[in-house]
Amino acid sequence: MGEPLRIGLVGAGKISRAYLDTLPRLPGLRLTAVTDLNRARAEAAAKSAESAARGAESAARGAQGVAVAASAEELVAREDVDAVLNLTIPAAHAEVALAALAAGRHVYGEKPLTGTREEADAIMGAAQRAGLRVGCAPDTVLGPGTQTARKAVDDGLIGTPVAATAFMTTAGHEAWHPDPEFYYRPGGGPLLDMGPYYLSALVHLLGPVVRVTGAASRPRAQRGIGSGPRAGERFAVEVDTHVTGVLEHRGGALTTLLMSFDVHAARLPRIEVHGSEGSLSVPDPNTFDGPVELWRGGAWEPLPPSAGYAGSARGYGLADLALALKAGRPHRASAELARHVLDVMLTLLDAARERTSLPVGTTCSRPEPVPFVGELSAPAGHG
């Protein structure tokens, strides 16, 4: 495969653990540097990454030490960084991505791409001018769960797609997250937090969205932190926490969407797709695997995994970007898709405020499907 893509990680918070667990087993990538506003946290992440890299498989690839940079500015300027893994809070996504692109580095970031359309356009414009790649989570949609469901749709197992439902309900993240305020500030809320998983899956399954109708509410003005050293503290809620809408896909299918931080318990399916000949039950798009079931002819039947990166975890979208660079093909967890997903979400919130239906101003290509791959280890077979 040649030299791996050298990765500099910005933001060693809670989500970084998932990436640090995965990166050592992805041969197309090598973590070289880490930075965080909390230096002790960055040092702990670097130490953890070095320990994982000493495993037998990583050692065989010539794993090296992981540096701790004093700042994001210092990290993006390092000669041993080819791409920046941006795991900062949503409010900082654009600033870090633009700095990385200005330094000549590819970027892969956590979702959402940014909090505004203008920031997303600035990132995509900067990348295009510099000839660099920008990728964005979620990469859960590249796993066998969503990809097997997509193959079922593409193979015509439910006939022509007519409708879909997508439900994400929880009582909120403050019960488990020790610093949950950012979920309830501009750029947060259930739609911008969890919507990228569901909308990315829906674009894979049904194609881009052309129009939305929305409604939203904010039942509570304050929330309380339920765990950690700040347990019991109260904070203000600045965004809508219950969002519902109807999405019209380019192919004509209609999706009913519900994203909420105000539901204590529910028995709603995560995603279902209904067609002229049958129905499909799709697993939680916040996971890489999960049961896919087909109803056709009077009964639900499980579908065995038939597509997607088997054994995938967070970081596979970045690995797919590295493989795409070498193969000269588009990467699947792309900024184009993330920009469209962001636009759909913001347009839905606009429609909710205006109590109306609005067209979505952007579109995107439906990403290439992922064939059934036992192990992500080489470019061959991944195009």
Coordinates of all heavy atoms in Angstrom, one line a residue, residues 282-382:
V282 N -34.2 -1.5 9.1 CA -32.7 -1.1 9.1 C -32.2 -0.9 10.5 O -32.9 -0.3 11.3 CB -32.6 0.1 8.2 CG1 -31.1 0.5 8.1 CG2 -33.3 0.0 6.9
P283 N -31.0 -1.4 10.8 CA -30.5 -1.2 12.2 C -30.2 0.2 12.5 O -30.1 1.1 11.7 CB -29.3 -2.1 12.2 CG -28.9 -2.2 10.8 CD -30.1 -2.2 10.0
D284 N -29.9 0.4 13.8 CA -29.5 1.7 14.3 C -28.4 2.3 13.5 O -27.3 1.7 13.5 CB -29.1 1.6 15.8 CG -28.8 2.9 16.5 OD1 -28.7 3.9 15.8 OD2 -28.7 2.9 17.7
P285 N -28.5 3.5 12.9 CA -27.4 4.0 12.0 C -26.3 4.6 12.9 O -25.3 5.0 12.3 CB -28.1 5.1 11.2 CG -29.3 5.5 12.1 CD -29.7 4.3 12.8
N286 N -26.4 4.6 14.2 CA -25.3 4.9 15.1 C -24.4 3.7 15.4 O -23.5 3.8 16.2 CB -25.8 5.6 16.3 CG -24.8 6.3 17.2 OD1 -23.7 6.6 16.6 ND2 -25.0 6.5 18.4
T287 N -24.7 2.6 14.7 CA -23.9 1.4 14.9 C -23.5 0.9 13.5 O -24.1 1.3 12.5 CB -24.7 0.3 15.6 OG1 -25.8 -0.1 14.7 CG2 -25.2 0.7 16.9
F288 N -22.4 0.1 13.4 CA -21.9 -0.3 12.1 C -22.6 -1.6 11.7 O -22.7 -1.9 10.5 CB -20.4 -0.6 12.2 CG -19.6 0.7 12.3 CD1 -19.4 1.3 13.6 CD2 -19.1 1.3 11.2 CE1 -18.7 2.5 13.7 CE2 -18.3 2.5 11.3 CZ -18.2 3.1 12.6
D289 N -23.1 -2.4 12.7 CA -23.7 -3.7 12.4 C -25.2 -3.6 12.8 O -25.7 -2.6 13.1 CB -23.0 -4.8 13.1 CG -21.6 -4.9 12.6 OD1 -21.4 -5.3 11.4 OD2 -20.6 -4.7 13.4
G290 N -25.8 -4.8 12.9 CA -27.2 -4.9 13.4 C -28.0 -5.7 12.4 O -27.7 -5.8 11.2
P291 N -29.1 -6.2 12.9 CA -30.0 -7.1 12.1 C -30.7 -6.3 11.0 O -31.2 -5.2 11.2 CB -31.0 -7.7 13.1 CG -31.0 -6.7 14.2 CD -29.6 -6.1 14.3
V292 N -30.7 -6.8 9.8 CA -31.5 -6.3 8.7 C -32.6 -7.3 8.4 O -32.3 -8.5 8.2 CB -30.7 -6.0 7.4 CG1 -31.5 -5.5 6.3 CG2 -29.5 -5.1 7.7
E293 N -33.8 -6.9 8.3 CA -34.9 -7.8 8.1 C -35.8 -7.3 7.0 O -36.1 -6.1 6.8 CB -35.8 -7.9 9.4 CG -35.1 -8.6 10.5 CD -36.0 -8.8 11.7 OE1 -36.4 -7.8 12.3 OE2 -36.2 -9.9 12.1
L294 N -36.2 -8.3 6.2 CA -37.1 -8.0 5.0 C -38.5 -8.6 5.2 O -38.6 -9.8 5.6 CB -36.4 -8.7 3.7 CG -37.2 -8.6 2.4 CD1 -37.4 -7.2 1.9 CD2 -36.6 -9.6 1.4
W295 N -39.5 -7.8 4.9 CA -40.9 -8.4 4.9 C -41.4 -8.4 3.5 O -41.4 -7.3 2.8 CB -41.8 -7.5 5.8 CG -43.2 -8.1 6.0 CD1 -43.6 -8.8 7.0 CD2 -44.3 -8.0 5.1 NE1 -44.9 -9.2 6.9 CE2 -45.3 -8.8 5.7 CE3 -44.5 -7.5 3.8 CZ2 -46.6 -8.9 5.1 CZ3 -45.7 -7.6 3.2 CH2 -46.7 -8.3 3.8
R296 N -41.6 -9.6 3.0 CA -42.2 -9.7 1.7 C -42.9 -11.1 1.6 O -42.2 -12.1 1.9 CB -41.0 -9.7 0.7 CG -41.5 -9.6 -0.8 CD -40.3 -9.4 -1.7 NE -39.4 -10.6 -1.6 CZ -38.3 -10.7 -2.4 NH1 -38.1 -9.8 -3.3 NH2 -37.5 -11.7 -2.3
G297 N -44.1 -11.0 1.4 CA -44.9 -12.3 1.4 C -45.4 -12.8 2.7 O -45.7 -14.0 2.9
G298 N -45.6 -11.9 3.7 CA -46.3 -12.2 4.9 C -45.5 -12.5 6.1 O -46.0 -12.7 7.2
A299 N -44.1 -12.3 6.1 CA -43.3 -12.5 7.3 C -42.0 -11.8 7.2 O -41.5 -11.5 6.1 CB -43.0 -14.0 7.4
W300 N -41.5 -11.4 8.4 CA -40.2 -10.8 8.4 C -39.1 -11.9 8.4 O -39.2 -12.9 9.1 CB -40.0 -10.0 9.7 CG -40.8 -8.7 9.8 CD1 -42.0 -8.5 10.4 CD2 -40.4 -7.5 9.2 NE1 -42.4 -7.2 10.3 CE2 -41.4 -6.6 9.5 CE3 -39.4 -7.1 8.4 CZ2 -41.4 -5.2 9.1 CZ3 -39.3 -5.7 8.0 CH2 -40.3 -4.8 8.3
E301 N -38.1 -11.7 7.5 CA -37.0 -12.6 7.4 C -35.7 -11.9 7.5 O -35.5 -10.8 6.9 CB -37.1 -13.3 6.0 CG -38.3 -14.1 5.8 CD -38.3 -14.7 4.4 OE1 -37.3 -14.6 3.7 OE2 -39.4 -15.4 4.1
P302 N -34.7 -12.4 8.3 CA -33.4 -11.8 8.4 C -32.6 -11.9 7.1 O -32.7 -12.9 6.4 CB -32.8 -12.6 9.6 CG -33.4 -13.9 9.6 CD -34.8 -13.7 9.1
L303 N -31.9 -10.9 6.8 CA -31.0 -10.9 5.6 C -29.6 -11.0 6.1 O -29.1 -10.2 7.0 CB -31.1 -9.6 4.8 CG -32.5 -9.4 4.1 CD1 -32.4 -8.0 3.3 CD2 -32.8 -10.5 3.1
P304 N -28.8 -12.0 5.7 CA -27.4 -12.1 6.1 C -26.6 -10.9 5.6 O -27.0 -10.3 4.5 CB -26.9 -13.4 5.5 CG -27.8 -13.6 4.3 CD -29.2 -13.0 4.7
P305 N -25.5 -10.5 6.2 CA -24.7 -9.4 5.8 C -24.2 -9.7 4.3 O -23.7 -10.8 4.0 CB -23.5 -9.4 6.7 CG -24.1 -10.0 8.0 CD -25.0 -11.1 7.5
S306 N -24.4 -8.7 3.5 CA -24.0 -8.9 2.1 C -23.2 -7.7 1.5 O -22.9 -7.7 0.3 CB -25.3 -9.1 1.2 OG -26.2 -8.0 1.3
A307 N -23.0 -6.7 2.3 CA -22.2 -5.5 1.8 C -21.7 -4.8 3.1 O -22.1 -5.1 4.2 CB -23.2 -4.6 1.1
G308 N -20.7 -3.9 2.8 CA -20.1 -3.1 3.9 C -18.8 -3.7 4.4 O -18.4 -4.8 4.2
Y309 N -18.1 -2.8 5.1 CA -16.8 -3.2 5.8 C -17.1 -4.0 7.0 O -17.5 -3.4 8.1 CB -16.0 -1.9 6.1 CG -15.5 -1.2 4.9 CD1 -15.7 0.2 4.8 CD2 -14.7 -1.8 4.0 CE1 -15.2 0.9 3.7 CE2 -14.1 -1.1 2.9 CZ -14.4 0.3 2.8 OH -13.9 1.0 1.8
A310 N -16.8 -5.3 7.0 CA -17.0 -6.1 8.2 C -16.1 -5.7 9.3 O -14.9 -5.4 9.0 CB -16.9 -7.6 7.8
G311 N -16.5 -5.8 10.5 CA -15.7 -5.4 11.6 C -15.3 -4.0 11.7 O -14.4 -3.6 12.5
S312 N -16.1 -3.1 11.1 CA -15.7 -1.7 11.0 C -16.1 -1.0 12.3 O -16.9 -1.5 13.1 CB -16.4 -1.0 9.9 OG -17.8 -1.3 9.8
A313 N -15.4 0.1 12.5 CA -15.6 1.0 13.7 C -15.2 2.4 13.4 O -14.8 2.6 12.2 CB -14.8 0.4 14.9
R314 N -15.4 3.3 14.3 CA -15.1 4.7 14.0 C -13.6 4.8 13.6 O -12.7 4.4 14.2 CB -15.4 5.6 15.2 CG -16.9 6.0 15.2 CD -17.2 6.8 16.5 NE -18.6 7.3 16.4 CZ -19.7 6.6 16.6 NH1 -19.6 5.3 16.9 NH2 -20.9 7.1 16.5
G315 N -13.4 5.5 12.4 CA -12.1 5.6 11.8 C -12.1 5.0 10.4 O -11.2 5.3 9.6
Y316 N -13.1 4.1 10.1 CA -13.1 3.5 8.8 C -13.4 4.5 7.7 O -13.0 4.3 6.5 CB -14.1 2.4 8.8 CG -13.5 1.0 9.1 CD1 -13.0 0.8 10.3 CD2 -13.5 0.0 8.2 CE1 -12.4 -0.4 10.6 CE2 -13.0 -1.2 8.5 CZ -12.4 -1.5 9.7 OH -11.8 -2.7 10.0
G317 N -14.1 5.6 8.0 CA -14.3 6.6 7.0 C -13.0 7.3 6.6 O -12.8 7.6 5.5
L318 N -12.2 7.5 7.6 CA -10.9 8.1 7.4 C -10.0 7.1 6.6 O -9.2 7.5 5.7 CB -10.2 8.5 8.7 CG -8.8 9.0 8.6 CD1 -8.7 10.3 7.7 CD2 -8.3 9.4 10.0
A319 N -10.1 5.8 6.9 CA -9.3 4.8 6.2 C -9.8 4.7 4.7 O -9.0 4.5 3.8 CB -9.4 3.5 6.9
D320 N -11.1 4.8 4.5 CA -11.7 4.8 3.2 C -11.2 6.0 2.4 O -10.9 5.9 1.2 CB -13.2 4.8 3.2 CG -13.9 4.8 1.9 OD1 -13.9 3.7 1.3 OD2 -14.3 5.8 1.3
L321 N -11.0 7.2 3.1 CA -10.4 8.4 2.4 C -9.0 8.1 2.0 O -8.6 8.5 0.9 CB -10.5 9.6 3.4 CG -10.1 10.9 2.8 CD1 -10.8 12.0 3.6 CD2 -8.6 11.2 2.9
A322 N -8.2 7.5 2.9 CA -6.8 7.1 2.5 C -6.8 6.2 1.3 O -5.9 6.4 0.4 CB -6.1 6.5 3.7
L323 N -7.6 5.2 1.3 CA -7.6 4.3 0.2 C -8.1 5.0 -1.1 O -7.6 4.7 -2.2 CB -8.6 3.1 0.5 CG -8.2 2.1 1.5 CD1 -9.3 1.2 1.9 CD2 -6.9 1.3 1.1
A324 N -9.0 5.9 -1.0 CA -9.5 6.6 -2.1 C -8.4 7.5 -2.7 O -8.3 7.7 -4.0 CB -10.7 7.5 -1.8
L325 N -7.6 8.1 -1.9 CA -6.5 8.9 -2.4 C -5.6 8.1 -3.2 O -5.1 8.5 -4.3 CB -5.7 9.5 -1.2 CG -6.2 10.8 -0.6 CD1 -5.5 11.1 0.7 CD2 -6.1 12.0 -1.5
K326 N -5.3 6.9 -2.8 CA -4.3 6.0 -3.5 C -5.0 5.5 -4.8 O -4.3 5.3 -5.8 CB -3.9 4.9 -2.6 CG -3.1 5.3 -1.4 CD -2.7 4.1 -0.6 CE -1.9 4.5 0.7 NZ -0.6 5.2 0.4
A327 N -6.3 5.2 -4.7 CA -7.0 4.7 -5.9 C -7.5 5.7 -6.9 O -7.9 5.4 -8.0 CB -8.1 3.8 -5.4
G328 N -7.4 7.0 -6.5 CA -7.9 8.1 -7.3 C -9.4 8.1 -7.5 O -9.9 8.5 -8.5
R329 N -10.1 7.7 -6.5 CA -11.6 7.6 -6.5 C -12.2 8.5 -5.4 O -11.5 8.9 -4.5 CB -12.1 6.2 -6.3 CG -11.8 5.6 -5.0 CD -12.7 4.4 -4.6 NE -12.3 3.7 -3.4 CZ -12.6 4.1 -2.2 NH1 -13.3 5.2 -2.0 NH2 -12.2 3.4 -1.1
P330 N -13.5 8.9 -5.5 CA -14.1 9.7 -4.5 C -14.1 8.8 -3.2 O -14.4 7.6 -3.2 CB -15.5 9.9 -5.0 CG -15.4 9.8 -6.5 CD -14.4 8.7 -6.7
H331 N -14.0 9.5 -2.0 CA -14.2 8.8 -0.8 C -15.6 8.9 -0.4 O -16.4 9.8 -0.8 CB -13.3 9.4 0.3 CG -13.4 10.8 0.5 ND1 -12.9 11.8 -0.3 CD2 -14.0 11.6 1.5 CE1 -13.2 13.0 0.1 NE2 -13.8 12.9 1.2
R332 N -16.1 7.9 0.4 CA -17.5 7.8 0.6 C -18.1 8.7 1.7 O -19.2 9.2 1.6 CB -17.8 6.3 1.0 CG -17.6 5.4 -0.2 CD -17.8 3.9 0.1 NE -17.7 3.0 -1.0 CZ -16.6 2.4 -1.4 NH1 -15.5 2.5 -0.6 NH2 -16.6 1.6 -2.4
A333 N -17.4 8.8 2.8 CA -17.8 9.7 3.9 C -17.3 11.1 3.6 O -16.4 11.7 4.2 CB -17.3 9.3 5.3
S334 N -18.0 11.8 2.6 CA -17.4 13.0 1.9 C -18.0 14.2 2.5 O -19.1 14.2 3.1 CB -17.7 12.9 0.4 OG -19.1 13.0 0.2
A335 N -17.3 15.3 2.3 CA -17.8 16.7 2.6 C -19.1 17.0 1.8 O -20.0 17.7 2.3 CB -16.8 17.7 2.4
E336 N -19.1 16.5 0.6 CA -20.3 16.8 -0.2 C -21.6 16.2 0.4 O -22.6 16.9 0.5 CB -20.1 16.1 -1.6 CG -21.3 16.3 -2.6 CD -21.3 15.4 -3.8 OE1 -20.7 14.3 -3.7 OE2 -21.9 15.8 -4.8
L337 N -21.5 14.9 0.9 CA -22.6 14.3 1.6 C -22.9 15.1 2.9 O -24.1 15.4 3.2 CB -22.3 12.9 1.9 CG -23.3 12.1 2.8 CD1 -24.7 12.1 2.2 CD2 -22.8 10.7 3.0
A338 N -21.9 15.4 3.7 CA -22.0 16.0 4.9 C -22.6 17.4 4.8 O -23.4 17.9 5.6 CB -20.7 16.1 5.7
R339 N -22.2 18.2 3.7 CA -22.8 19.5 3.4 C -24.3 19.4 3.1 O -25.1 20.2 3.6 CB -22.0 20.1 2.2 CG -22.7 21.4 1.6 CD -22.6 22.5 2.6 NE -23.0 23.8 2.1 CZ -24.3 24.2 2.0 NH1 -25.3 23.5 2.5 NH2 -24.6 25.4 1.5
H340 N -24.7 18.4 2.3 CA -26.1 18.2 2.0 C -26.9 17.8 3.3 O -28.0 18.4 3.5 CB -26.2 17.1 0.9 CG -27.7 16.8 0.6 ND1 -28.5 17.8 0.1 CD2 -28.4 15.7 0.7 CE1 -29.7 17.2 -0.1 NE2 -29.7 16.0 0.3
V341 N -26.3 16.9 4.1 CA -27.0 16.5 5.3 C -27.2 17.8 6.2 O -28.3 18.0 6.8 CB -26.2 15.4 6.0 CG1 -26.7 15.2 7.5 CG2 -26.4 14.1 5.3
L342 N -26.1 18.6 6.3 CA -26.3 19.8 7.1 C -27.3 20.7 6.6 O -28.2 21.3 7.4 CB -24.9 20.5 7.2 CG -24.9 21.9 7.9 CD1 -25.1 21.8 9.4 CD2 -23.6 22.7 7.6
D343 N -27.4 20.9 5.3 CA -28.4 21.8 4.7 C -29.8 21.2 4.9 O -30.7 22.0 5.2 CB -28.1 21.9 3.2 CG -28.9 23.0 2.5 OD1 -29.3 24.0 3.2 OD2 -29.1 22.9 1.3
V344 N -30.0 19.9 4.8 CA -31.3 19.3 5.1 C -31.7 19.6 6.5 O -32.8 20.0 6.8 CB -31.2 17.8 4.8 CG1 -32.5 17.2 5.3 CG2 -31.0 17.5 3.4
M345 N -30.8 19.5 7.5 CA -31.1 19.7 8.9 C -31.4 21.2 9.1 O -32.4 21.5 9.8 CB -30.0 19.3 9.8 CG -29.7 17.8 9.7 SD -28.5 17.2 11.0 CE -27.0 18.0 10.4
L346 N -30.6 22.1 8.6 CA -30.9 23.5 8.8 C -32.1 24.0 8.1 O -32.9 24.8 8.6 CB -29.7 24.3 8.3 CG -28.4 24.1 9.1 CD1 -27.2 25.0 8.5 CD2 -28.5 24.4 10.6
T347 N -32.4 23.4 6.9 CA -33.7 23.7 6.2 C -34.9 23.2 7.0 O -35.9 23.9 7.1 CB -33.6 23.2 4.8 OG1 -32.5 23.7 4.1 CG2 -34.9 23.6 4.0
L348 N -34.7 22.1 7.6 CA -35.8 21.5 8.4 C -36.1 22.4 9.6 O -37.3 22.7 9.9 CB -35.5 20.1 8.8 CG -36.5 19.4 9.7 CD1 -37.9 19.3 9.0 CD2 -36.0 18.0 10.0
L349 N -35.1 22.9 10.2 CA -35.2 23.8 11.4 C -35.8 25.1 10.9 O -36.7 25.7 11.6 CB -33.9 24.0 12.1 CG -33.3 22.8 12.8 CD1 -31.9 23.2 13.4 CD2 -34.2 22.4 13.9
D350 N -35.4 25.6 9.7 CA -36.0 26.8 9.2 C -37.5 26.6 8.9 O -38.3 27.5 9.2 CB -35.3 27.2 7.9 CG -33.9 27.7 8.1 OD1 -33.6 28.1 9.2 OD2 -33.1 27.7 7.1
A351 N -37.8 25.5 8.3 CA -39.2 25.2 8.0 C -40.0 25.1 9.3 O -41.2 25.5 9.3 CB -39.3 23.9 7.2
A352 N -39.4 24.5 10.4 CA -40.1 24.4 11.7 C -40.4 25.8 12.2 O -41.5 26.1 12.7 CB -39.3 23.6 12.6
R353 N -39.5 26.7 12.1 CA -39.7 28.1 12.7 C -40.7 28.8 11.9 O -41.5 29.6 12.4 CB -38.3 28.8 12.6 CG -37.4 28.5 13.8 CD -36.2 29.5 13.8 NE -35.3 29.3 12.7 CZ -34.3 28.4 12.7 NH1 -34.0 27.7 13.8 NH2 -33.5 28.3 11.7
E354 N -40.7 28.6 10.5 CA -41.6 29.3 9.7 C -43.0 28.6 9.5 O -43.9 29.1 8.8 CB -41.0 29.5 8.3 CG -39.7 30.4 8.3 CD -39.0 30.5 7.0 OE1 -39.7 30.3 5.9 OE2 -37.8 30.7 7.0
R355 N -43.1 27.4 10.1 CA -44.3 26.5 10.0 C -44.7 26.3 8.5 O -45.8 26.6 8.1 CB -45.4 27.2 10.8 CG -45.1 27.3 12.3 CD -46.2 28.0 13.0 NE -45.9 28.1 14.5 CZ -46.1 27.2 15.4 NH1 -46.6 26.0 15.0 NH2 -45.7 27.4 16.6
T356 N -43.7 25.8 7.8 CA -44.0 25.7 6.3 C -43.2 24.6 5.7 O -42.5 23.8 6.5 CB -43.7 27.0 5.6 OG1 -44.1 27.0 4.3 CG2 -42.2 27.3 5.6
S357 N -43.2 24.5 4.4 CA -42.4 23.5 3.7 C -41.4 24.3 2.8 O -41.7 25.3 2.3 CB -43.3 22.7 2.7 OG -42.6 21.9 1.9
L358 N -40.1 23.8 2.8 CA -39.1 24.6 2.1 C -38.3 23.6 1.2 O -38.0 22.5 1.6 CB -38.1 25.2 3.1 CG -38.7 26.3 4.0 CD1 -37.7 26.8 5.0 CD2 -39.1 27.5 3.1
P359 N -37.8 24.2 0.1 CA -36.9 23.4 -0.8 C -35.5 23.3 -0.1 O -35.1 24.2 0.5 CB -36.9 24.1 -2.1 CG -37.1 25.5 -1.7 CD -38.1 25.5 -0.5
V360 N -34.8 22.2 -0.4 CA -33.4 22.1 0.1 C -32.5 22.6 -1.0 O -32.6 22.2 -2.2 CB -33.1 20.6 0.4 CG1 -31.6 20.5 0.8 CG2 -34.0 20.1 1.5
G361 N -31.6 23.5 -0.7 CA -30.8 24.2 -1.7 C -29.6 23.5 -2.3 O -29.1 23.9 -3.3
T362 N -29.2 22.4 -1.6 CA -28.1 21.6 -2.1 C -28.5 20.2 -2.5 O -29.6 19.7 -2.2 CB -27.0 21.5 -1.0 OG1 -27.5 20.8 0.1 CG2 -26.5 22.9 -0.6
T363 N -27.6 19.5 -3.2 CA -27.8 18.1 -3.4 C -26.4 17.4 -3.3 O -25.4 18.0 -2.9 CB -28.4 17.8 -4.8 OG1 -28.8 16.5 -4.9 CG2 -27.5 18.2 -5.9
C364 N -26.4 16.1 -3.5 CA -25.1 15.4 -3.5 C -25.3 14.1 -4.3 O -26.4 13.7 -4.6 CB -24.7 15.1 -2.1 SG -25.8 13.8 -1.3
S365 N -24.1 13.6 -4.7 CA -24.1 12.3 -5.3 C -24.4 11.2 -4.3 O -24.0 11.4 -3.1 CB -22.8 12.0 -6.0 OG -22.5 13.0 -7.0
R366 N -25.1 10.2 -4.6 CA -25.3 9.1 -3.7 C -24.0 8.4 -3.6 O -23.4 8.0 -4.7 CB -26.4 8.2 -4.2 CG -26.9 7.2 -3.2 CD -28.1 6.4 -3.8 NE -28.6 5.4 -3.0 CZ -29.0 4.2 -3.5 NH1 -29.0 3.9 -4.8 NH2 -29.4 3.2 -2.7
P367 N -23.4 8.2 -2.4 CA -22.0 7.6 -2.4 C -22.0 6.2 -3.0 O -23.1 5.5 -3.0 CB -21.7 7.5 -0.9 CG -22.6 8.6 -0.3 CD -23.9 8.6 -1.1
E368 N -20.9 5.8 -3.5 CA -20.8 4.4 -4.0 C -21.0 3.4 -2.9 O -20.6 3.6 -1.8 CB -19.4 4.2 -4.6 CG -19.2 4.9 -6.0 CD -20.1 4.3 -7.0 OE1 -20.1 3.1 -7.2 OE2 -20.7 5.1 -7.7
P369 N -21.7 2.3 -3.2 CA -21.9 1.3 -2.2 C -20.6 0.6 -1.8 O -19.6 0.6 -2.6 CB -22.9 0.3 -2.9 CG -22.6 0.5 -4.4 CD -22.3 1.9 -4.5
V370 N -20.6 0.0 -0.7 CA -19.4 -0.7 -0.2 C -19.7 -2.2 -0.4 O -20.6 -2.7 0.1 CB -19.1 -0.5 1.3 CG1 -17.9 -1.2 1.7 CG2 -19.0 1.0 1.6
P371 N -18.8 -2.8 -1.2 CA -19.0 -4.3 -1.4 C -18.7 -5.0 -0.1 O -18.1 -4.4 0.8 CB -18.0 -4.7 -2.5 CG -17.0 -3.6 -2.4 CD -17.7 -2.3 -2.0
F372 N -19.1 -6.2 0.1 CA -18.8 -7.0 1.3 C -17.3 -7.3 1.4 O -16.8 -8.0 0.7 CB -19.6 -8.3 1.3 CG -19.7 -8.9 2.7 CD1 -19.9 -8.1 3.8 CD2 -19.6 -10.2 2.9 CE1 -20.0 -8.6 5.1 CE2 -19.6 -10.8 4.2 CZ -19.9 -10.0 5.3
V373 N -16.7 -6.6 2.4 CA -15.2 -6.7 2.6 C -14.9 -7.3 3.9 O -15.4 -6.7 5.0 CB -14.6 -5.3 2.4 CG1 -13.1 -5.4 2.7 CG2 -14.9 -4.7 1.1
G374 N -14.2 -8.3 4.0 CA -13.9 -9.0 5.2 C -12.9 -8.2 6.1 O -13.1 -8.2 7.3
E375 N -12.0 -7.5 5.5 CA -11.0 -6.7 6.3 C -10.6 -5.5 5.4 O -10.2 -5.7 4.2 CB -9.8 -7.6 6.6 CG -8.8 -6.8 7.5 CD -7.6 -7.7 7.9 OE1 -7.6 -8.9 7.5 OE2 -6.7 -7.2 8.5
L376 N -10.6 -4.4 5.9 CA -10.1 -3.2 5.2 C -8.6 -3.2 5.3 O -8.0 -2.8 6.4 CB -10.7 -1.9 5.8 CG -10.7 -0.7 4.9 CD1 -11.6 0.4 5.5 CD2 -9.4 -0.1 4.7
S377 N -7.9 -3.6 4.3 CA -6.4 -3.7 4.4 C -5.7 -3.3 3.1 O -4.5 -3.2 3.2 CB -6.1 -5.2 4.7 OG -6.5 -6.1 3.8
A378 N -6.4 -3.2 2.0 CA -5.7 -2.9 0.8 C -6.6 -2.2 -0.2 O -7.8 -2.5 -0.2 CB -5.1 -4.1 0.1
P379 N -6.1 -1.4 -1.2 CA -7.0 -0.8 -2.1 C -7.8 -1.7 -3.0 O -8.9 -1.5 -3.3 CB -6.1 0.1 -3.0 CG -4.8 0.2 -2.1 CD -4.7 -1.0 -1.3
A380 N -7.2 -2.9 -3.4 CA -7.9 -3.8 -4.3 C -9.3 -4.2 -3.7 O -9.3 -4.6 -2.5 CB -7.0 -5.0 -4.5
G381 N -10.3 -4.1 -4.5 CA -11.6 -4.6 -4.1 C -12.4 -3.5 -3.3 O -13.6 -3.8 -2.9
H382 N -11.8 -2.4 -3.0 CA -12.6 -1.4 -2.3 C -13.1 -0.2 -3.1 O -13.6 0.7 -2.6 CB -11.7 -0.8 -1.2 CG -11.2 -1.8 -0.2 ND1 -12.1 -2.4 0.7 CD2 -10.1 -2.4 0.0 CE1 -11.5 -3.3 1.5 NE2 -10.2 -3.3 1.1

